Structure formats: C-alpha cells, structure tokens
Amino acid sequence: MTTLTSGARRAACATCLRAQAACICQWIAPVAHRVDVLILQHPMEVTNAKGSARLLHLSLPGSRLIVGEAFAPENLQPLLAGKHNVLLYPDTPADQSLGIAPPPALEPDWLRQPESLRLVVLDGTWRKSRKMLYLNPPLQRLPRLPLRDTPASHYLIRKAHAADQLSTLEASVYALAQLENDAPRFQPLIAAFDGFVAQQLAYVAPQKS
C-alpha cells in the first residue's frame, strides 16, 4: 500500500510514512516486551528523516505513538491510565528554579512487576522535549527513570550535545532492558537501528563526494 506525500507528490510507504525510495521497513525488528510504551512525539519530529521513534514504535507491538506538544489533561490522562507510569527523562535539578517540583521517587515495588509499568518517552530534541515537559504538568508528576551504564550512542547521523545523549530508540531500548532485566532480548532492535543509521549515512555520503 502506498500514499502520496503532500508536498512532493512522491509515493510514500503507508507503514513507515517515508518516501518509498527511503523506506525503513526492512529495519523493523518486532520484539516482545512486558512494559507498555507510550511515545509522545513532537510534531517537528514526524517528518524528520533522522528520527528513530517510528522505527521504535513499529518494532514494539505494545507501544503507542501520539503526536503533539501540549496535550489537554483530558486527553493525556486516558493515555496514562491503568499502569504505573515512568518517564524516561534525566534528572534536571534546574527545574526547581522554574517552579517545577522534583518528581516523585520511583517505587521499588513497581520494578518487580514489569507488566504493571508503562514507559513514557518524549521524542524530540533536548530543547523540544523540555518544552513538552513544561507544557504538560501531568508528565512532571511522573517518577523518572535514570539510565545506568549505557553504551556509547550508535546515532552517527545526528549531532549530540553531550557524550551520553542517545537516540529515542536507543534510550527506550536500554530503558526496557533495564526495567525488564533482559538486555539480550532487545539487542535485535539495536542491530536494526545500526542498519537504519547506515542507510541514512548512505544518503549523505554522495553529497560529500
């Protein structure tokens, strides 16, 4: 099945939403997971060819991908209902100077039942994800998950502003591996991500030659 992109009128894949010539469906790597995943994607990331969130979503059967920046509470609350929600976001002490209270601590008991958890992921640049956090108070009240001992990023197609910054896919995969205590099960997704990155680099290389 194909669709037409609105601007260029090029045939687009109906699954990954990219032009057929740049389709990434070959890198979809379905992985069973016990923790639910909610991806909140900034609108500017939807058409970003370097973005990894849709590949992540297509590879995780128990995930939802919702596009937006500021969500009405009555729309956000149903998305957060029924599970213990954990926000994949680093600790940001400077938030207190902006009037944002520190997030609650993650309950250790939650980690004993991965099926009861939902990982909430903000997909956007650092600046955009911070704005999403500030515009949505319910997200500020979620306990956060700090990642531990993550490998160096494989995200060679996007400039990182810090050595420990990861792509949305990488950070989510490492978070799931941590929450479910099962890193080998998620390794195929990292391997698929490497293929996705190599494909994007191949598009850039001719432009530099």
Side-chain angles (χ1 to χ4, degrees):
M1 179 179 177
T2 61
T3 59
L4 292 178
T5 57
S6 58
R9 297 293 179 185
R10 293 178 299 171
C13 174
T15 300
C16 69
L17 306 183
R18 300 186 182 223
Q20 285 191 327
C23 177
I24 61 170
C25 288
Q26 64 178 314
W27 307 118
I28 298 173
V31 175
H33 53 107
R34 300 161 66 189
V35 176
D36 279 2
V37 178
L38 172 63
I39 306 165
L40 301 178
Q41 184 178 53
H42 192 277
M44 293 183 67
E45 290 295 316
V46 175
T47 57
N48 191 329
K50 298 177 182 179
S52 63
R54 188 153 188 86
L55 179 59
L56 174 69
H57 170 55
L58 293 172
S59 298
L60 297 178
S63 68
R64 297 185 67 180
L65 190 154
I66 308 295
V67 177
E69 184 179 57
F71 300 90
E74 61 270 21
N75 294 330
L76 186 56
Q77 290 297 349
L79 297 175
L80 301 176
K83 297 275 187 174
H84 297 307
N85 296 285
V86 179
L87 181 65
L88 179 56
Y89 205 82
D91 292 327
T92 48
D95 289 350
Q96 297 183 43
S97 65
L98 300 175
I100 296 178
L106 178 59
E107 293 288 345
D109 287 345
W110 294 5
L111 302 179
R112 299 188 181 98
Q113 295 182 312
E115 294 85 357
S116 72
L117 296 174
R118 178 184 294 110
L119 182 68
V120 181
V121 180
L122 302 183
D123 178 53
T125 63
W126 175 244
R127 182 178 179 181
K128 294 299 183 184
S129 66
R130 283 179 66 83
K131 187 175 181 181
M132 290 171 71
L133 181 62
Y134 294 149
L135 291 176
N136 297 280
L139 299 179
Q140 300 170 19
R141 296 191 287 269
L142 300 181
R144 300 185 189 180
L145 178 72
L147 294 177
R148 301 191 304 264
D149 303 322
T150 57
S153 177
H154 297 201
Y155 204 23
L156 305 178
I157 53 177
R158 209 166 189 175
K159 183 179 180 181
H161 297 287
D164 59 349
Q165 287 185 351
L166 303 168
S167 68
T168 294
L169 185 146
E170 291 172 302
S172 300
V173 164
Y174 296 143
L176 288 172
Q178 187 172 308
L179 291 171
E180 300 189 17
N181 194 27
D182 192 353
R185 177 145 49 91
F186 295 97
Q187 189 56 41
L189 241 177
I190 295 297
F193 179 70
D194 287 342
F196 162 77
V197 170
Q199 177 177 321
Q200 301 305 309
L201 288 174
Y203 298 144
V204 176
Q207 300 176 13
K208 293 184 177 181
S209 60

